[in-house]
Amino acid sequence: METITVGEIIKAQGIKGELKIKPLTDSPERFFSLKAVYIGNTAYKVSHVRVDGFVYLKLVGIDTRNDAEAQVGKRIEIDRVLAAPLEDGYTFYIADVEGSALIDEHGERLGTITEVSQFGAADVFTVETVDGRVMRFPYLKKLLLAADTQNKTFAVYKDELARVTVYED
């Protein structure tokens, strides 16, 4: 079974095991239609969902604050077949990007895409470079040469990348 990440658990909410989720989807309301989710390799039945900027999930089997706190930092996944269809103009999901090699137009490996953050105007890719530094850049169509989700590689124009990239100190 193939899964896709739809959220990240950011904290326990209350004392009865509710989870506060940062949604990693364009439509957090889609959580209302979910019957089950996965955390790691464990399936959980969804008991209750509410959305208020963040998504709050109550899962069967996570019944105390301690149970919920043990899940913080983990990701919420669903069966990939339940993923929302890609909107026009989009060719991949965030889950397809994370873990991919970032290469330039000559095939030189620049690093590994470790995270994609959604900030509204543009998604921001975080990359651990081959020399161990952390770089970030906005996803811009003019930057992307090719995306190969099957082989987990994303090719970019190196000169254009240099114009928009920032590095952590």
Side-chain angles (χ1 to χ4, degrees):
M1 170 196 54
E2 190 176 0
T3 61
I4 189 165
T5 301
V6 294
E8 183 178 339
I9 302 167
I10 56 175
K11 69 175 261 189
Q13 181 70 29
I15 61 171
K16 296 185 178 180
E18 191 176 45
L19 302 168
K20 183 176 183 180
I21 311 297
K22 173 185 168 188
L24 301 176
T25 174
D26 290 337
S27 179
E29 291 74 23
R30 289 202 20 85
F31 279 83
F32 288 115
S33 66
L34 299 177
K35 305 286 186 229
V37 298
Y38 297 91
I39 301 174
N41 293 324
T42 305
Y44 292 92
K45 183 178 177 186
V46 175
S47 172
H48 179 75
V49 177
R50 62 188 174 96
V51 176
D52 183 20
F54 291 95
V55 174
Y56 298 86
L57 284 182
K58 177 65 183 88
L59 304 175
V60 174
I62 298 178
D63 299 315
T64 68
R65 183 171 187 89
N66 287 343
D67 293 343
E69 286 176 346
Q71 306 305 319
V72 172
K74 296 180 181 176
R75 294 190 168 212
I76 298 288
E77 298 178 333
I78 61 171
D79 288 329
R80 190 173 181 105
V81 295
L82 299 176
L86 289 168
E87 294 179 19
D88 288 342
Y90 291 90
T91 57
F92 47 81
Y93 294 98
I94 288 174
D96 296 331
V97 178
E98 293 177 337
S100 295
L102 183 70
I103 61 174
D104 69 12
E105 65 268 31
H106 306 293
E108 180 184 345
R109 184 180 174 89
L110 305 173
T112 302
I113 301 168
T114 58
E115 183 178 7
V116 178
S117 302
Q118 296 179 297
F119 294 114
D123 293 345
V124 175
F125 286 29
T126 301
V127 175
E128 184 175 324
T129 65
V130 292
D131 62 2
R133 297 177 6 176
V134 174
M135 64 186 255
R136 289 188 175 82
F137 61 90
Y139 170 72
L140 304 170
K141 289 187 180 185
K142 68 179 181 177
L143 179 66
L144 186 65
L145 173 65
D148 182 350
T149 58
Q150 294 297 328
N151 293 311
K152 302 282 283 179
T153 59
F154 280 75
V156 294
Y157 296 103
K158 195 170 187 175
D159 288 344
E160 194 62 39
L161 180 67
R163 288 185 192 95
V164 298
T165 296
V166 296
Y167 290 87
E168 280 189 2
D169 291 333

